Amino acid sequence: MDASDTPDISVVVPVHDEAGAAGPLAREIAAAFAGRPYEMIFVDDASRDTTLAELRALMAELPALRVLSHATNAGQSRAVRTGVLAARGAIVVTLDGDGQNPPAEAPKLADALMAAPPNVALVGGRRAKRQDTAAKRWASRWANGIRKRLLKDDADDTGCGLKAFRRDVFLRLPYFDHLHRYLPALMIREGYENRYLDVDHRHRETGRSKYTNWGRLTASLSDLMGVMWLKSRARRPGGISEF
């Protein structure tokens, strides 16, 4: 894709200390979206290893690749937001930077959203055969069940990094840390619908997870209360007319 073209799709990938994984992932994204008007934006969240250098070295090889870098570590949700703010496509696709989300699955989420009516704002991936430890799978099921019951959203797997959403709708959402885990509930709060598709999941081949079960639990309790409050304060105007 020529740099002057406006892409239909922006693939946003947050990365932190993913040396050895980020480069191959970028090449897989390029293969998955070959022949389509797209861009990929890797947001390096102040990595301490060679992640940023590896990505910058790929820019000549992959013309669709853009690399943004945070001066200080700000977390996954902020990295996603940085990428979305810089994105030129109306449709944003996100996937995790550890390589566990297969890029080959990303186009089908984007295509499903592009074919959906305007009231559908998000098409989320649902990991059909999750390749994680038993403890992590159990914690995820427990957390998803609690969140779904309290927020009355429709997502079975908000932890899946593979998502396609409308950029303009995302930018209307209130920002907070860990926002990426509550996108389905916040889309519904804005009056939109979500859809879901099963996607594959892979073993992590390099690096290590940035999260622990305990860390996720302590953060999610306060986040969950905050999103419940946001939902309780929502008032929608219905249709809007201009005269």
Side-chain angles (χ1 to χ4, degrees):
M1 186 192 73
D2 187 273
S4 63
D5 294 338
T6 300
D8 294 334
I9 300 165
S10 296
V11 182
V12 173
V13 187
V15 286
H16 175 67
D17 290 349
E18 295 294 353
L25 183 61
R27 290 191 176 99
E28 283 192 79
I29 293 170
F33 285 92
R36 304 184 58 157
Y38 85 102
E39 64 179 355
M40 58 175 140
I41 303 172
F42 275 69
V43 182
D44 179 68
D45 191 25
S47 292
R48 299 159 296 184
D49 59 9
T50 59
T51 299
L52 180 58
E54 291 176 17
L55 287 169
R56 292 185 64 183
L58 276 177
M59 293 179 69
E61 175 187 335
L62 304 175
L65 174 61
R66 299 169 61 191
V67 180
L68 307 180
S69 179
H70 287 171
T72 58
N73 181 263
Q76 184 173 349
S77 281
R78 178 59 76 173
V80 168
R81 188 168 186 266
T82 294
V84 175
L85 286 169
R88 296 180 295 158
I91 301 297
V92 173
V93 178
T94 62
L95 58 157
D96 290 338
D98 56 15
Q100 288 194 266
N101 299 142
E105 298 277 27
K108 77 178 183 182
L109 298 184
D111 290 341
L113 182 56
M114 294 172 78
N119 65 310
V120 176
L122 178 146
V123 176
R126 183 172 49 220
R127 292 168 289 188
K129 296 179 180 179
R130 187 172 175 182
Q131 303 298 311
D132 278 320
T133 64
K136 186 175 286 189
R137 292 196 304 270
W138 177 87
S140 182
R141 283 195 298 270
W142 179 83
N144 274 309
I146 295 295
R147 188 212 68 256
K148 193 172 181 180
R149 191 174 304 118
L150 293 178
L151 296 183
K152 296 180 173 57
D153 65 17
D154 52 5
D156 294 320
D157 186 12
T158 59
C160 181
L162 264 169
K163 295 180 178 72
F165 51 81
R166 302 191 191 278
R167 179 178 181 270
D168 63 328
V169 178
F170 177 92
L171 293 177
R172 298 177 204 168
L173 305 180
Y175 174 76
F176 54 90
D177 199 18
H178 297 127
L179 164 72
H180 64 282
R181 297 187 179 278
Y182 295 93
L183 285 179
L186 293 171
M187 294 295 190
I188 292 172
R189 178 181 182 268
E190 287 295 311
Y192 291 91
E193 295 180 9
N194 307 308
R195 293 182 180 175
Y196 302 93
L197 295 174
D198 286 344
V199 296
D200 288 334
H201 192 239
R202 308 187 293 201
H203 289 286
R204 175 185 268 276
E205 300 295 333
T206 63
R208 59 184 179 84
S209 175
K210 310 303 185 295
Y211 301 100
T212 64
N213 286 342
W214 176 250
R216 261 193 290 253
L217 174 62
T218 53
S220 65
L221 290 175
S222 60
D223 293 339
L224 189 57
M225 297 299 293
V227 177
M228 289 174 66
W229 180 85
L230 283 171
K231 282 176 62 68
S232 73
R233 303 299 296 169
R235 298 177 68 183
R236 294 199 293 269
I240 300 173
S241 300
E242 179 176 355
F243 300 98

